[in-house]
Amino acid sequence: MSRAPRQSVRRNEVRRICFATGTRAEFGLMESTLRAIGSSPKLSLGIIATGMHLDRERGHSLRRLRAEGWTIGATVPWKQGDGSPADAARATGRAVAGFTDVFERLDPDIVLVVGDRVEAFAAATAAHLSGRIVAHVHGGDRALGQSDDALRHAITKLSHIHFPATADSAARLRRLGEEPFRIHRVGSPGIDGIKGLAASRQRIATVVGDWPPRRFALVVLHPESSDEALERRRAISLLTAVRAAGVGRIAIIFPNTDPGARGILHAWMDHAGDADARLIPDAPRDVYLGLLRDAAVLVGNSSSGIIEAASFGTFALDIGDRQSGRQRSGNVIHVPHSPAAIAKALRPIWNRGVPKRFRGTNVYGGGAVGTRIADVLARIALGERLRHKLIAH
């Protein structure tokens, strides 16, 4: 396929950056970067929302983003019916077409994506094939998930600018054949100022009630398989194990939309009336960080246990293989999907109601990461050297 390359941006022209986002979690991870882009005199920010942001079952976070003052430049419908892998593939294909139409209208100079979600893959595919520069945050990480590793590395090959979070991830990008001039190791933007961003304990009380800090577990479980019955059993086993370990209160965040998620969601809804459980369909970034700070432990398989939890000193019990291969700090303890193993690992952390805290450093820390990303986006030359990729192996 041949196509005429888009013209490079003139030196003094404000660059149009479009950020494609599919989940509240990834949006929160990127907030410091988005604010840095929005405040730069050399950049203008456009936000394209899709995926879970448009899902009313999971809080319809698009409304929250707008209420918080974010301007949403466009939305791309994400119609995922039965939750099967085939249906996810069809939804991704439709989204590629939708992103292509939006990019033609907004005409971004750089399309910015993060992580390994299918929404980011759809946006990167549409941007790359339509001749646009793609910038990717958190490339080079490893996480097994369902198709996470394959999608993340596919996005790497579609991208022209890389912002890995760690030295290991940057080295992996080089081994994948990415040229060093494209790689800018910055740390994780999700760590930027998170202690100051976390909601006050008074606001957290509006979500969980009068629960004292460090006297509850925060549960975030996403599916590893498309088998809804299996995922439901795993979710039920997790709750059984947390209670067996003596943790009396549990705050539960709803899962993402990966195939199999409905099984987890059904398990959570079975406990909607429990006095010791709080179900949270959609937690704004500040509320989630406040919960992560105040929890005795994070239980499940969320990447926030790998990336953000260490900065608060919160231990994370990482269950199963979804995050396998991911670089982690000393706060992360891995266990299989076994109620006995989960309860055994939880008991010393819970410590009979006097939870232990992690005192080490966070391997994903970087400092002013959002500003560093914005600076690169503003100054990097958008010429043919950047645009044309020759795979090195």
Side-chain angles (χ1 to χ4, degrees):
M1 180 183 65
S2 63
R3 63 183 183 277
R6 299 177 68 252
Q7 290 187 338
S8 300
V9 178
R10 294 190 302 272
R11 178 174 297 179
N12 296 322
E13 187 175 284
V14 173
R15 291 180 176 176
R16 295 178 295 279
I17 312 297
C18 271
F19 173 58
T21 174
T23 74
R24 181 66 165 177
E26 78 180 8
F27 188 91
L29 194 74
M30 291 294 289
E31 277 197 38
S32 69
T33 303
L34 302 181
R35 295 189 189 283
I37 292 171
S39 63
S40 171
K42 299 180 180 179
L43 302 171
S44 68
L45 175 65
I47 298 173
I48 306 171
T50 188
M52 290 176 63
H53 289 301
L54 314 182
D55 190 339
R56 284 178 168 76
E57 286 187 1
R58 289 169 172 79
H60 199 213
S61 54
L62 177 64
R63 291 180 298 185
R64 284 187 181 272
L65 297 183
R66 286 173 169 156
E68 292 169 5
W70 294 100
T71 298
I72 308 302
T75 60
V76 172
W78 191 276
K79 297 179 181 179
Q80 191 163 325
D82 61 13
S84 68
D87 192 64
R90 283 188 286 267
T92 304
R94 290 189 291 265
V96 170
F99 274 115
T100 301
D101 292 340
V102 168
F103 293 152
E104 280 196 325
R105 177 165 60 85
L106 298 182
D107 194 26
D109 298 301
I110 300 173
V111 173
L112 179 65
V113 297
V114 59
D116 55 16
R117 294 281 305 164
V118 287
E119 300 93 339
F121 172 74
T125 300
H128 186 98
L129 292 178
S130 58
R132 300 175 193 280
I133 298 294
V134 180
H136 184 207
V137 178
H138 266 288
D141 291 357
R142 297 178 66 203
L144 183 62
Q146 290 190 31
S147 56
D148 298 29
D149 247 18
L151 288 180
R152 188 187 305 270
H153 298 329
I155 295 169
T156 289
K157 306 319 293 182
L158 294 168
S159 299
H160 307 84
I161 308 168
H162 307 289
F163 296 108
T166 70
D168 283 0
S169 293
R172 192 170 292 113
L173 290 175
R174 290 191 292 272
R175 291 198 300 273
L176 284 168
E178 295 302 299
E179 298 159 298
F181 82 91
R182 302 180 183 277
I183 301 170
H184 307 266
R185 182 167 69 90
V186 292
S188 174
I191 306 303
D192 277 354
I194 59 173
K195 292 182 179 180
L197 289 172
S200 67
R201 293 206 164 114
Q202 290 80 6
R203 187 172 183 203
I204 296 303
T206 67
V207 178
V208 299
D210 59 355
W211 293 0
R214 315 276 168 79
R215 295 297 181 272
F216 66 90
L218 178 62
V219 170
V220 189
L221 185 68
H222 301 303
E224 284 184 37
S225 78
S226 60
D227 186 335
E228 293 183 7
L230 173 61
E231 293 301 332
R232 183 170 186 168
R233 290 195 298 272
R234 285 172 168 172
I236 293 169
S237 294
L238 184 155
L239 288 188
T240 300
V242 171
R243 286 168 170 155
V247 184
R249 300 180 177 97
I250 306 168
I252 301 171
I253 305 291
F254 280 18
N256 62 24
T257 55
D258 285 354
R262 288 181 179 179
I264 298 172
L265 192 58
H266 290 159
W268 296 159
M269 295 309 296
D270 289 343
H271 295 271
D274 292 4
D276 64 352
R278 298 287 186 272
L279 303 188
I280 307 168
D282 172 52
R285 175 70 168 171
D286 64 330
V287 169
Y288 184 77
L289 292 176
L291 290 167
L292 192 58
R293 174 198 63 209
D294 291 350
V297 59
L298 173 64
V299 184
N301 55 16
S302 168
S303 62
S304 63
I306 309 291
I307 297 173
E308 290 111 319
S311 293
F312 290 113
T314 302
F315 277 95
L317 203 60
D318 178 47
I319 301 173
D321 293 329
R322 185 177 178 91
Q323 301 296 337
S324 290
R326 197 161 215 164
Q327 191 174 353
R328 53 197 63 200
S329 304
N331 68 308
V332 181
I333 300 170
H334 180 263
V335 294
H337 284 286
S338 159
I342 296 169
K344 181 179 179 180
L346 266 178
R347 287 191 185 100
I349 299 172
W350 177 241
N351 195 30
R352 298 182 179 181
V354 186
K356 293 183 178 180
R357 306 301 287 174
F358 173 66
R359 305 300 180 189
T361 57
N362 190 335
V363 298
Y364 288 93
V369 176
T371 299
R372 295 166 71 185
I373 291 174
D375 287 345
V376 172
L377 296 177
R379 63 177 168 77
I380 194 167
L382 303 185
E384 295 307 301
R385 181 171 184 250
L386 184 69
R387 189 180 304 280
H388 288 151
K389 295 185 66 175
L390 181 64
I391 305 305
H393 66 274

